[in-house]
Amino acid sequence: MRYFKAILLSVLTITLVWALNRPWGSVPAFGPLLSPFAGFWQNAESDQTKDEEVNVTGTRAPVTVVFDDLAIPHVFAQNDYDLYFAQGYLTARDRLWQMEFQTHAAAGRVSEIVGERALELDRFNRHLGMGYGAEQTLKGMESDPTTREVLAAYTAGINAWIDQLTPAQYPIEYKLLGYAPEPWTPLKCALLLKQMSSTLAGGADDLLMTNVLRKYGAAVTFDLFPDYPTREDPIIPPGTKWDFKALPVPAPPKDSLLTNLIALSAPGFGVSPSRANPEIGSNNWAVGAQKSATGHPILANDPHLTLSLPSIWYQIQLVSPTVNTYGASLPGAPNVIIGFNKSVAWGVTNVGADVLDFYAIRFKDASKQQYWHDNQWKSVRRRLETIRVKGKPDVVDTVYYTHHGPLVYETGAKPFRPSIPVGYAARWIAHEQSNDMLCFYKLNRAENFADYREALAYYVAPAQNFVYADKNNDIAISPNGRFPLKWKNQGKFLMDGTNPANDWHGYIPADQNPLVKNPPRGFVSSANQFSTDPSYPYYINWQFAPSERGRRINQRLTVMKGATIDSLRMLQNDNYNLRASDALPTLLPRLSEKGMSEQQRNALQALRQWQRSNDAGEIGPTIFTEWTAQLTKAIWADEFDTGDTLPMRFPAFDRTLTMMQRDTGARWFDNTKTPARERFSDVLNESFRATCDTLVKKHGPVGTSWNWGQHKGTDIRHLLPGVDAFSALDLDVGGGAVVVNATNERTGPSWRMVVALGDQPKAYGLYPGGQSGNPGSPHYQNMIETWRLGKLNELLYLQSAQDKNPRLKRTMTLK
Amino acid sequence: MIHIILIAVLSFLAQLILPWWSLAIVAALVCFWRSPGALAAFFYGFIGVAIVWLVYAILIHLRTDGIFTARMGQLLFKMNNAAMPMLATTILSGLVGGLAGLSGYFIRRSTGNQTA
């Protein structure tokens, strides 16, 4: 009996300890997690105020880091190696988990951490050739001695931080998911760039457009999906001279486009298509000296990305004998990406060039060893991808590479993204050898326009509109990246991979990329709209982001005089809905009040009185946004949403509006699913009433409960899905998809910056988050409220580590 | 009382270098060494261990204005306050400590009687 009790209790205790010491599915190991000695308690931080001296191995001389009140590091190093070492060390200190997680995601390694549920995501990234592309980029970066050393220093700095970590000091996400950080490698820096390319240059409509063409023929397709919109104001002002001798444009293949494509079209497959996120875009502009109150240019930039915590960006000032630059960096990449130095400022928005194309591959046989191209059999290269899966055996995948690129999905496979065709190889700019990092390294050190031009030539992907301003009063903008040399509309549709006429034919020379310097209008700007008007001799893409943001910015800048930092900040927060002002004069007069319910009439009244502002406290934007979505669906869904069998897309809103204005008898207004013939006004009235009824159901009678800010509800979510506790949810903030302040439900200005050039640059900026990636830190989301209010913080541009400023809090010495 | 102090001090020291479950070994050893009865052994183990976790947790909570305690409460228990993380920390450690103390006591009984 006495043995029995002793054994029973011991077994019970040991079992309890064992059960608490391991995770159960997604439930973390509670024992170590709750321990104040090693668990989450150890991640709770208070504001550090004391100076510190840190011993690290790897620096060549002591590095001084001054932290300001927002925990932004200002790094003073005596040589460049130490500078990038310190950048790696400090970024890892604040953002280690995020850096590793994002690069794991790019490499297709999320299953290692979360198990089988990420397997399809991992498979997708591997089949798209993310790892292959990263290896190519790494080759490019390591072939240049400068960037090789920057990478080595940055990597050594990150590893110096990782090496001294004890498990109790691991970021909370490691503790929750039960894994440990691994050493950083230069390849991870390349993977991060691929992740950006995937976000910004990984969208493809080729399959959807091919299906449209197959169903409706060339005439309808080119009518509804034109190569230039009705309303546009391109980035390069029309009339700008192209001062270069253009290369000959390659000839399109001779065989009829359509018959060829019908033969090629892949059979349909599951779920509705997900494409490049149209809400991801950005604004930037620079006003010249003649328009600014200071007599020198002022530059502004706000990149719109999926808002997340830890924040996408990390602020840092980097000072060494060769550089003094400040701005936003990407955790996992050395240098400042968007920022300024004493002489120049620069910023970026996405171009949206068509740099991802799909080629139908004809294999000789099921063994997939050879494929047909240029009238001969060519050999296929295989790449084995081993995906480790937490709690499961490894999954080994073979990816087949042709000279076009990897076969993203084999015929018969079920694609992760339905917009990616099955049986096609992807030709993607992100697979090219490149050294994009050198562009930023040189921009960080640029002193004048010539330096800017030199830096841009190194940049490949994802192509960006690089805006530029300097203290010598030059301003410029250039849609820049490596653009494939194409025949017109090459890659608008899927292509036949056997015909070499469909291949990319080299690239547009970097010095012939679109560029405008000091235009007569006194400003340059971009908001992801068309790079140029049709006079540019090369083809970049047939579609770009909707023109409203760009046109609004240009309208405001055209009339702006004596611009200040504050007037540009106000423009970043501009909520004017140009789409509403374009469309409502066409839509409203055709609405009939006859037979409307009281609530519908109230909503109509509200819409009529609305001054077209997407402020948080307005109800007009709620009605307009929901109504246009409903209307678009009512017009196009019957013809262009046939469900799973043939994924297609709708024509753009610009084309829809043009049709509503000029062709009200168009066949497309009829709902083909009803026997009656509907006309434009029927669709218009029905969709308005349905929208009102839906909103009443959701928010009650027309009133403040319909307010745009709450209706839209902007969320800034932690990178791990579902971790609401580490997210900032339902922020009450204005903006919208087609307004300058492009704050949407999940996306928005991820960094806002305004820089006034001059003898000393004066800069302001912030991002919606905080410097620390640790949810237990007071600096995790401390900038969100300031961001929500549309304000900016002054960016302290220090000249030396001894500079005095009341906002400087403490010093760290790395030795 | 001496048991509680011993368990508290020794488990604290052990956890500075060893994994969290070293607290169970400490509680078991102390109660193996000496304990007036089963109930007392559980009580010593529970209190001795739990007091260390609770006090340490409270210290961290106060030093950091409790920002993170509430967030973790939200994450783990869907309650946006510090009470649940505190309670869970205390009870979890206490249960392990108490059971370990009890084990130590019964092991002593089963072996001690034979040698006595």
Side-chain angles (χ1 to χ4, degrees):
Chain A
M1 187 59 200
R2 49 178 204 253
Y3 292 113
F4 175 71
K5 276 190 184 168
I7 292 167
L8 179 76
L9 260 303
S10 304
V11 168
L12 192 65
T13 310
I14 290 168
T15 308
L16 181 66
V17 167
W18 170 79
L20 288 170
N21 202 41
R22 54 156 290 177
W24 294 88
S26 60
V27 177
F30 264 80
L33 184 66
L34 291 186
S35 161
F37 292 86
F40 79 82
W41 298 99
Q42 286 288 324
N43 296 88
E45 282 178 29
S46 56
D47 217 345
Q48 255 179 296
T49 48
K50 286 200 198 90
D51 289 353
E52 43 178 341
E53 271 197 17
V54 184
N55 286 310
V56 289
T57 36
T59 52
R60 293 172 182 172
V63 180
T64 306
V65 185
V66 184
F67 289 93
D68 64 28
D69 54 346
L70 294 167
I72 297 160
H74 304 258
V75 185
F76 294 86
Q78 296 171 37
N79 59 69
D80 280 355
Y81 184 89
D82 287 349
L83 184 69
Y84 295 107
F85 181 96
Q87 186 182 10
Y89 182 86
L90 293 164
T91 311
R93 182 176 143 277
D94 281 329
R95 301 292 186 86
L96 177 60
W97 176 79
Q98 169 194 14
M99 295 162 75
E100 197 181 77
F101 184 75
Q102 289 174 333
T103 51
H104 270 39
R109 292 181 55 193
V110 182
S111 303
E112 276 176 40
I113 307 167
V114 304
E116 222 171 7
R117 64 193 157 116
L119 190 56
E120 283 314 301
L121 171 72
D122 284 346
R123 232 194 260 267
F124 171 74
N125 278 324
R126 287 169 187 251
H127 279 246
L128 192 58
M130 295 280 280
Y132 169 74
E135 286 163 18
Q136 297 304 306
T137 295
L138 183 61
K139 272 186 211 160
M141 294 196 288
E142 298 211 311
S143 65
D144 179 285
T146 306
T147 44
R148 188 172 60 226
E149 176 160 287
V150 172
L151 268 185
Y154 188 74
T155 300
I158 296 170
N159 285 329
W161 172 258
I162 295 174
D163 289 346
Q164 53 81 49
L165 281 182
T166 63
Q169 296 166 309
Y170 289 170
I172 183 68
E173 292 89 347
Y174 290 105
K175 295 179 185 177
L176 287 171
L177 295 168
Y179 71 114
E182 64 179 27
W184 189 263
T185 59
L187 181 68
K188 288 171 186 278
C189 297
L191 282 164
L192 183 85
L193 287 173
K194 296 302 126 178
Q195 189 70 356
M196 291 309 282
S197 280
S198 173
T199 307
L200 297 171
D205 277 357
D206 311 26
L207 170 64
L208 311 183
M209 289 305 302
T210 303
N211 287 340
V212 170
L213 183 66
R214 182 160 78 146
K215 175 130 192 198
Y216 291 105
V220 166
T221 304
F222 283 94
D223 174 39
L224 294 183
F225 301 88
D227 296 329
Y228 199 74
T230 310
R231 282 152 285 265
E232 185 54 283
D233 191 357
I235 295 169
I236 305 300
T240 305
K241 290 270 176 298
W242 311 115
D243 57 353
F244 53 80
K245 192 171 167 345
L247 299 178
V249 170
K254 288 191 186 63
D255 44 5
S256 147
L257 186 66
L258 188 59
T259 47
N260 208 21
L261 279 166
I262 287 174
L264 283 173
S265 287
F269 34 72
V271 276
S272 63
S274 68
R275 303 152 51 212
N277 185 346
E279 293 181 347
I280 289 182
S282 314
N283 308 319
N284 64 19
W285 60 81
V287 296
Q290 69 269 41
K291 266 192 180 290
S292 105
T294 62
H296 292 288
I298 312 177
L299 176 142
N301 185 198
D302 55 300
H304 316 148
L305 293 166
T306 300
L307 300 177
S308 56
L309 288 168
S311 298
I312 300 158
W313 301 101
Y314 182 74
Q315 285 188 58
I316 196 163
Q317 182 178 5
L318 297 172
V319 188
S320 82
T322 72
V323 67
N324 182 358
T325 185
Y326 184 122
S329 69
L330 287 170
N335 300 300
V336 166
I337 306 294
I338 297 174
F340 62 95
N341 61 34
K342 203 166 179 341
S343 310
V344 315
W346 71 95
V348 296
T349 66
N350 198 39
V351 171
D354 186 9
V355 290
L356 171 60
D357 289 327
F358 291 95
Y359 293 90
I361 299 302
R362 199 171 115 211
F363 289 104
K364 191 170 187 182
D365 52 46
S367 70
K368 295 199 181 71
Q369 287 180 338
Q370 290 185 304
Y371 67 104
W372 188 250
H373 179 260
D374 200 8
N375 293 316
Q376 52 185 305
W377 294 109
K378 295 189 174 174
S379 47
V380 172
R381 203 167 53 77
R382 286 152 187 259
R383 185 182 156 103
L384 285 187
E385 297 280 357
T386 307
I387 309 176
R388 283 192 284 155
V389 184
K390 187 182 179 184
K392 293 269 158 79
D394 292 357
V395 173
V396 182
D397 247 359
T398 308
V399 185
Y400 301 90
Y401 279 76
T402 65
H403 77 287
H404 297 293
L407 194 68
V408 181
Y409 286 105
E410 293 164 53
T411 308
K414 188 174 169 354
F416 176 71
R417 284 190 192 164
S419 56
I420 303 284
V422 170
Y424 287 74
R427 177 80 165 104
W428 191 25
I429 193 68
H431 295 146
E432 293 299 304
Q433 191 167 320
S434 68
N435 191 5
D436 315 77
M437 212 176 91
L438 191 55
C439 168
F440 296 105
Y441 178 90
K442 286 182 179 285
L443 279 175
N444 287 191
R445 291 162 174 76
E447 290 176 8
N448 52 45
F449 181 77
D451 294 344
Y452 159 78
R453 292 303 295 156
E454 194 211 328
L456 258 54
Y458 292 100
Y459 190 80
V460 172
Q464 300 291 304
N465 300 301
F466 283 82
V467 69
Y468 168 87
D470 68 28
K471 66 173 184 180
N472 306 322
N473 295 351
D474 279 332
I475 58 170
I477 195 163
S478 176
N480 181 69
R482 194 176 292 162
F483 300 123
L485 188 59
K486 290 177 163 188
W487 35 271
K488 189 175 180 192
N489 281 334
Q490 182 178 356
K492 184 170 181 174
F493 308 97
L494 302 174
M495 289 185 282
D496 174 4
T498 65
N499 185 349
N502 286 322
D503 286 18
W504 287 4
H505 305 273
Y507 300 98
I508 299 174
D511 60 2
Q512 298 190 7
N513 282 343
L515 165 74
V516 65
K517 181 190 179 192
N518 299 329
R521 69 183 186 184
F523 68 90
V524 293
S525 79
S526 76
N528 318 101
Q529 75 269 45
F530 267 73
S531 302
T532 69
D533 69 4
S535 73
Y536 184 61
Y538 302 110
Y539 173 76
I540 299 179
N541 205 345
W542 66 276
Q543 63 170 349
F544 288 82
S547 68
E548 290 92 351
R549 277 184 292 118
R551 285 160 53 220
R552 173 67 181 169
I553 290 166
N554 290 352
Q555 287 172 2
R556 297 288 306 130
L557 291 177
T558 302
V559 298
M560 200 178 277
K561 286 193 190 98
T564 62
I565 283 173
D566 215 43
S567 42
L568 297 194
R569 177 186 70 82
M570 299 284 281
L571 182 51
Q572 287 183 331
N573 285 285
D574 185 285
N575 278 336
Y576 188 77
N577 192 325
L578 194 59
R579 176 168 289 186
S581 103
D582 285 343
L584 284 178
T586 304
L587 306 186
L588 281 178
R590 287 174 178 267
L591 276 185
S592 151
E593 278 187 66
K594 217 169 77 186
M596 271 195 186
S597 72
E598 189 196 339
Q599 288 305 319
Q600 289 162 353
R601 267 202 302 276
N602 289 348
L604 178 58
Q605 189 60 23
L607 199 54
R608 281 186 180 140
Q609 285 168 355
W610 176 41
Q611 298 300 305
R612 319 282 190 256
S613 156
N614 271 32
D615 285 347
E618 296 277 350
I619 68 172
T622 309
I623 304 168
F624 177 75
T625 306
E626 295 302 331
W627 180 29
T628 43
Q630 187 91 17
L631 175 63
T632 309
K633 228 170 128 189
I635 296 171
W636 301 117
D638 51 332
E639 286 99 353
F640 291 88
D641 183 2
T642 53
D644 299 352
T645 48
L646 195 67
M648 289 184 282
R649 49 157 294 188
F650 294 173
F653 186 81
D654 177 79
R655 183 65 189 86
T656 309
L657 180 57
T658 302
M659 184 172 82
M660 293 190 286
Q661 287 169 337
R662 298 181 194 166
D663 189 12
T664 49
R667 65 184 257 216
W668 308 108
F669 290 117
D670 178 39
N671 184 350
T672 54
K673 302 214 163 113
T674 61
R677 173 160 173 106
E678 287 85 3
R679 285 160 311 165
F680 173 39
S681 55
D682 298 326
V683 183
L684 197 67
N685 279 285
E686 267 164 43
S687 61
F688 182 79
R689 288 164 201 214
T691 303
C692 294
D693 294 349
T694 310
L695 285 170
V696 169
K697 216 174 270 169
K698 195 168 177 192
H699 299 306
V702 180
T704 49
S705 60
W706 287 38
N707 278 357
W708 175 236
Q710 280 134 30
H711 174 76
K712 170 164 68 74
T714 295
D715 291 346
I716 306 178
R717 290 189 171 274
H718 188 271
L719 286 174
L720 284 177
V723 183
D724 290 0
F726 298 168
S727 310
L729 302 178
D730 284 322
L731 299 177
D732 187 15
V733 54
V738 291
V739 305
V740 179
N741 174 17
T743 309
N744 300 297
E745 285 91 338
R746 296 291 314 278
T747 60
S750 59
W751 162 241
R752 284 187 178 125
M753 178 182 85
V754 182
V755 185
L757 281 307
D759 292 336
Q760 271 300 320
K762 194 116 179 91
Y764 290 79
L766 90 173
Y767 55 77
Q771 284 290 101
S772 173
N774 175 14
S777 161
H779 297 289
Y780 179 63
Q781 49 182 38
N782 55 324
M783 289 188 275
I784 290 181
E785 183 59 11
T786 320
W787 174 88
R788 190 184 74 80
L789 296 170
K791 296 179 183 166
L792 302 173
N793 296 318
E794 185 179 357
L795 309 180
L796 299 179
Y797 186 62
L798 308 183
Q799 300 310 305
S800 83
Q802 286 72 44
D803 276 16
K804 294 279 175 272
N805 187 301
R807 280 181 53 200
L808 298 178
K809 292 298 171 199
R810 65 192 193 91
T811 302
M812 175 198 263
T813 314
L814 296 175
K815 44 169 66 168
Chain B
M1 197 60 201
I2 178 79
H3 298 82
I4 294 177
I5 294 171
L6 257 179
I7 291 175
V9 170
L10 292 178
S11 74
F12 174 80
L13 292 175
Q15 289 179 81
L16 289 178
I17 39 169
L18 297 171
W20 71 280
W21 45 260
S22 58
L23 58 82
I25 297 171
V26 170
L29 284 177
V30 169
C31 292
F32 177 85
W33 166 63
R34 194 159 92 179
S35 176
L39 203 66
F42 182 83
F43 179 76
Y44 295 156
F46 191 110
I47 300 294
V49 159
I51 203 149
V52 174
W53 276 36
L54 179 64
V55 170
Y56 195 1
I58 288 176
L59 281 177
I60 291 174
H61 177 80
L62 294 177
R63 206 183 58 214
T64 59
D65 299 325
I67 321 171
F68 199 41
T69 327
R71 269 194 195 132
M72 288 305 290
Q74 179 70 36
L75 179 73
L76 299 175
F77 310 105
K78 305 286 168 234
M79 279 194 269
N80 192 17
N81 61 50
M84 278 306 288
M86 289 281 184
L87 201 67
T89 299
T90 311
I91 289 177
L92 182 137
S93 61
L95 265 184
V96 174
L99 280 177
L102 207 54
S103 304
Y105 169 76
F106 279 120
I107 293 168
R108 175 60 180 248
R109 277 255 313 255
S110 66
T111 56
N113 279 6
Q114 281 180 337
T115 53

